[in-house]
Amino acid sequence: MMSRVVVTGAAGFIGSHLVDELLGRGVRVVGLDRRRVGEHALADENLARAVVNPLFTPYCLDLAVDQLDDVVAGCDTVFHLAARPGVRPSWSREFLDYTQTNVLGTHRLLEACTRQGVRRLVVASSSSVYGPADRPSREDDPTCPVSPYGVSKLAAEQLCLAYARRADSPLSAVALRYFTVYGPRQRPDMAIGRVLFAAYTGFPLTLFGDGSQRREFTYVGDVVAATLAAARLEAQAAVVNVGGGASVSMLALINEAARVTGRQVPVKLVAAQPGDVPATAADPTRARRLLGYWPKVGLHEGLARQAAWLVNLSDDRLAAFTS
């Protein structure tokens, strides 16, 4: 049983859903994020339920520079979801932030966890570590990331496993390779949010490539279920895929979004971008065996839930989709 846990990236898309689920189970949650509650609109919106719960304690901290020992001390489990996301910006000068946040921040968190005797770390990795694949990716497949973002996520994942494999380490680690997570609170730059926004506003969707590229979309509630299961897994160092159950083309996604919203999705085709792989798909065998994980929310239902959330956003938040 978990009594007190840390969630890094608590104000983010997946992190805030995880926080809500943990609090609903009566777990005391320490939430770490660079975005300060009360001063950042996204943090305020994503953590609106959490901040009124006496079991939740938020901290505004940067993993790469701030002192972490005090906040992880006495915690049984650390869920490490904080990261700089996004494939395309990682090619630019912004890569410095990817290295500081995804790599250095993870290293400093691991050092603090080791010093404070934390038992279990669950780290959010990514399907981006695989690179191009011509079949569903298995956890023991070679990793070949094709973007700086993917490289930074692989480095963070491997750091966690290295610390868990130390002979003198009190820490065990499970790295979860998430496959394209979507749902309410999703970042506006991600595919499903952009597709739905185009459907409701008539602003053309910028589609990179010809639409044949395939992605395995995974609903955020399923991701949270797998993440909680990973905290209970009897393993010292493990890697597990977390997928949505099916890989679909972008054109199929657009058609499904049209069915969900009852609106056409206008599209503007542009060239494929560096770092975009032709397809992602997860082999679910290990997740089923180790975590008892089966995705429960299909694409149609998940799209409907995200669409319902999107149409109720404030004007300020909707502006993020056009920026």
Side-chain angles (χ1 to χ4, degrees):
M1 294 292 293
M2 295 178 289
S3 58
R4 182 175 183 268
V5 305
V6 167
V7 176
T8 74
F13 165 39
I14 304 172
S16 61
H17 281 280
L18 178 62
V19 167
D20 285 345
E21 182 64 25
L22 286 163
L23 293 174
R25 298 184 181 203
V27 178
R28 189 172 298 277
V29 178
V30 177
L32 309 186
D33 205 286
R34 292 193 295 190
R35 295 158 289 200
R36 186 183 299 277
V37 174
E39 298 179 7
H40 194 284
L42 179 66
D44 291 345
E45 181 177 313
N46 286 354
L47 293 174
R49 291 168 54 191
V51 294
V52 297
N53 190 315
L55 295 175
F56 181 65
T57 306
Y59 285 92
C60 181
L61 292 175
D62 188 330
L63 300 183
V65 297
D66 290 323
Q67 201 274 342
L68 304 174
D69 284 70
D70 289 346
V71 292
V72 303
C75 287
D76 173 75
T77 304
V78 172
F79 296 96
H80 180 32
L81 278 68
R84 173 68 191 270
V87 168
R88 296 180 187 98
S90 71
W91 292 101
S92 70
R93 293 179 180 178
E94 296 179 45
F95 185 64
L96 176 61
D97 189 40
Y98 286 80
T99 57
Q100 289 179 329
T101 302
N102 299 358
V103 183
L104 177 60
T106 297
H107 180 262
R108 296 187 74 251
L109 178 65
L110 288 164
E111 284 285 308
C113 288
T114 301
R115 287 191 295 266
Q116 297 302 321
V118 174
R119 178 194 68 86
R120 166 57 52 84
L121 183 134
V122 180
V123 58
S125 187
S126 168
S127 60
S128 295
V129 305
Y130 287 116
D134 56 7
R135 58 170 174 75
S137 297
R138 296 191 295 261
E139 292 85 350
D140 54 1
D141 285 345
T143 51
C144 185
V146 294
S147 69
Y149 164 73
V151 170
S152 73
K153 292 298 288 184
L154 181 59
E157 170 190 303
Q158 292 299 309
L159 271 171
C160 295
L161 298 175
Y163 269 75
R165 290 173 179 139
R166 278 179 50 174
D168 61 344
S169 176
L171 184 69
S172 61
V174 180
L176 300 178
R177 292 175 177 169
Y178 296 155
F179 281 70
T180 313
V181 187
Y182 74 101
R185 306 179 194 167
Q186 187 192 48
R187 299 193 331 265
D189 61 303
M190 296 189 72
I192 287 182
R194 294 189 297 109
V195 169
L196 291 172
F197 186 77
Y200 283 120
T201 65
F203 287 103
L205 166 72
T206 300
L207 181 60
F208 300 101
D210 62 5
S212 64
Q213 62 270 37
R214 304 179 68 85
R215 294 292 180 267
E216 180 142 345
F217 295 102
T218 314
Y219 187 70
V220 65
D222 288 328
V223 166
V224 168
T227 303
L228 291 173
R232 304 187 296 269
L233 177 63
E234 292 295 330
Q236 187 63 32
V239 176
V240 185
N241 288 336
V242 179
S247 182
V248 302
S249 72
M250 286 299 299
L251 291 178
L253 169 65
I254 290 169
N255 290 334
E256 192 63 41
R259 283 191 286 272
V260 166
T261 62
R263 300 165 181 256
Q264 292 303 306
V265 180
V267 173
K268 179 178 70 174
L269 294 176
V270 300
Q273 299 293 293
D276 287 346
V277 296
T280 64
D283 184 312
T285 306
R286 185 177 295 184
R288 292 174 180 174
R289 176 169 55 87
L290 296 184
L291 304 181
Y293 169 73
W294 296 77
K296 294 181 178 179
V297 180
L299 185 60
H300 183 89
E301 180 182 352
L303 280 171
R305 293 183 186 183
Q306 185 163 341
W309 166 80
L310 182 63
V311 298
N312 288 306
L313 282 181
S314 66
D315 290 342
D316 289 342
R317 288 287 288 118
L318 279 173
F321 285 83
T322 59
S323 61

